[in-house]
Amino acid sequence: MRDLVCLPQTRLAYALILGALAALGPLCTDLYLPALPDIAQQFTAPTSVVQLTLTATLLGLGVGQLLFGPLSDSLGRRRTLLSSLVLFVVASLGCTLATDIHQLLVARLLQGIAGSGGIVLSRAIARDLYQGHELTRFYALLMMINGVAPIGAPVLGGELLRLVDWRGIFAVLTTIVLLLTLASTLQVRETLPPQQRTPGGLRQTLQQIRQLLTLRPFMGLCLAQGFTIAGMFAYIGASSFVLQQLYGLTPQQFSLCFAVNGIGLILMAQVAARLSNQLGEIHVLQGGLILAMSAASLLVLAGLCHAPLPLVLICLFFSVTVNSVIGTTSVSRAMQAVSPESGGAASALLGLAMFALGALSVPFTGLGGTSMLTMSLTILGCYAIAVLLYWRVHGWQGRRARGR
């Protein structure tokens, strides 16, 4: 297999490429966050309508994975990946040239669909190359690299607003993806040999998805991960308005706060990988779910008590960074529950759950007007559903041997 793949010299080098591809999601969602108030002002659109540009992207990121994941199982990883990157460049140009909020919504939807290719294929390629604890370690490495995007994207977006308007931000994103397309063309090789591909086109793809939907262990982890990520996207969609308009932060100050949480995501991913080796993935996952509920409950209390900004930021930090603990372990366990031939379809369903549920959670933060309380309640609700679904499907395992 490794001879076929023609891997770069080290695992880290290959992880850098796959991590950058996985980072297309955060780049889509986070780079323009500091500019959301400016977009609302330029298009004279309500906050709730401007938030739909994020919702459209999340829907695209989710639904697109149902296209690119199974397609890669049939046609191969490399060809599918390069096609998605070309579409991303076109959609990014559309965002740059949009003349009203409706055109921007359509372009953002297409951008999300295209960006899903890099996300779903980075997971599928990793599944082609690794298994067991090695796969968990590699996913943790991907999450560490991927975590640079949530750190750098809003900071870069905030600094770019000193020089250009929001259109310039999308122009920079177009340039970034052009460079990534070139790197992928030169470095990424096929990891799914023709004899392991799934023939049969759309009918076979739908059959694979139906089989996965009936696979209880996989779906339990898939939905638990999806609702946890939905809570984080509630934070992503509302935090720029909450922290800038309600707490008075500048775009640069907001981006720095956002970056601190991104650093936390990186650190938590590495902690999860280490603890998984010692305690077992299931134990670490369950601990992450408990931490998520605890942190989100404190965040709701902070909103009810109109807590000062430092306390709010501390609660937000733990409410957000716990996603790395749950994500690293749940995705690894879910992907190990399926065969390599279904890796693309499984990765697609994981991505669909994350981004589609995330798209649904964002509008809830704007009910009655975006506020600290609506954001925190949405986060807590998503985490509570994740815990309930996990418990209903898997139970709460207490023996170490079962956590491996």
Side-chain angles (χ1 to χ4, degrees):
M1 169 70 74
R2 292 183 182 273
D3 292 337
L4 170 71
V5 175
C6 300
L7 289 174
Q9 294 300 311
T10 66
R11 183 174 70 167
L12 178 60
Y14 207 64
L16 285 171
I17 298 173
L18 296 185
L21 291 170
L24 288 177
L27 282 174
C28 276
T29 58
D30 299 352
L31 186 64
Y32 87 131
L33 286 180
L36 283 177
D38 290 345
I39 295 174
Q41 183 177 12
Q42 180 170 343
F43 288 143
T44 61
T47 296
S48 58
V49 175
V50 176
Q51 282 181 313
L52 289 177
T53 62
L54 178 59
T55 300
T57 307
L58 295 175
L59 282 174
L61 286 168
V63 174
Q65 293 187 57
L66 285 179
L67 168 67
F68 291 115
L71 196 62
S72 74
D73 288 338
S74 176
L75 301 179
R77 313 295 190 207
R78 187 174 186 274
R79 185 193 311 179
T80 309
L81 171 64
L82 295 179
S83 299
S84 71
L85 290 174
V86 171
L87 179 60
F88 194 107
V89 171
V90 174
S92 298
L93 286 173
C95 293
T96 307
L97 301 175
T99 58
D100 58 49
I101 191 64
H102 303 292
Q103 291 181 14
L104 184 61
L105 282 169
V106 173
R108 289 285 289 167
L109 176 63
L110 292 176
Q111 192 179 52
I113 291 173
S116 68
I119 300 171
V120 69
L121 287 166
S122 65
R123 288 195 301 265
I125 290 172
R127 178 65 181 86
D128 292 339
L129 301 175
Y130 301 101
Q131 60 183 348
H133 183 63
E134 281 298 309
L135 182 61
T136 302
R137 289 182 57 204
F138 194 77
Y139 278 143
L141 184 59
L142 283 184
M143 190 162 287
M144 181 181 71
I145 298 167
N146 188 23
V148 174
I151 296 171
V155 174
L156 177 60
E159 292 302 315
L160 284 172
L161 284 177
R162 296 179 185 270
L163 306 173
V164 297
D165 62 4
W166 62 270
R167 297 181 189 278
I169 291 178
F170 284 113
V172 170
L173 180 57
T174 304
T175 304
I176 292 172
V177 179
L178 280 171
L179 294 174
L180 184 54
T181 303
L182 177 61
S184 299
T185 302
L186 296 176
Q187 294 291 338
V188 176
R189 298 295 181 262
E190 186 55 64
T191 61
L192 188 66
Q195 62 270 24
Q196 293 184 9
R197 296 176 190 174
T198 304
L202 180 60
R203 178 178 298 180
Q204 179 65 28
T205 296
L206 293 176
Q207 183 178 352
Q208 271 189 326
I209 291 175
R210 281 198 301 269
Q211 291 173 348
L212 290 172
L213 288 174
T214 61
L215 189 61
R216 248 178 100 82
F218 172 81
M219 288 305 301
L221 292 163
C222 178
L223 291 174
Q225 160 75 348
F227 275 101
T228 305
I229 290 290
M232 187 173 73
F233 278 124
Y235 151 77
I236 291 173
S239 59
S240 61
F241 296 101
V242 170
L243 296 180
Q244 291 185 70
Q245 294 184 347
L246 302 183
Y247 283 91
L249 298 187
T250 65
Q252 290 74 34
Q253 290 171 332
F254 162 73
S255 64
L256 288 175
C257 292
F258 205 90
V260 170
N261 290 338
I263 294 173
L265 286 166
I266 292 177
L267 296 177
M268 285 290 200
Q270 302 315 301
V271 169
R274 285 181 176 273
L275 290 178
S276 294
N277 191 36
Q278 298 172 3
L279 305 176
E281 292 159 339
I282 293 299
H283 279 277
V284 176
L285 172 57
Q286 292 176 171
L289 291 170
I290 292 172
L291 177 59
M293 283 294 297
S294 302
S297 298
L298 290 175
L299 187 63
V300 171
L301 288 176
L304 287 170
C305 299
H306 304 286
L309 180 62
L311 183 57
V312 169
L313 293 179
I314 291 172
C315 294
L316 272 176
F317 176 84
F318 287 103
S319 297
V320 170
T321 57
V322 72
N323 274 268
S324 282
V325 177
I326 298 171
T328 299
T329 50
S330 63
V331 170
S332 177
R333 295 289 297 188
M335 291 297 286
Q336 291 178 60
V338 303
S339 63
E341 293 78 10
S342 300
S347 182
L349 279 177
L350 283 166
L352 176 64
M354 295 179 201
F355 291 106
L357 292 173
L360 293 175
S361 72
V362 172
F364 279 95
T365 65
L367 292 177
T370 303
S371 67
M372 175 64 194
L373 188 57
T374 58
M375 179 182 73
S376 59
L377 283 173
T378 304
I379 294 172
L380 178 60
C382 290
Y383 290 173
I385 295 173
V387 171
L388 178 62
L389 287 172
Y390 175 83
W391 176 75
R392 290 284 294 175
V393 173
H394 290 274
W396 214 256
Q397 299 181 15
R399 292 190 301 166
R400 178 173 175 166
R402 295 182 67 185
R404 290 271 177 198

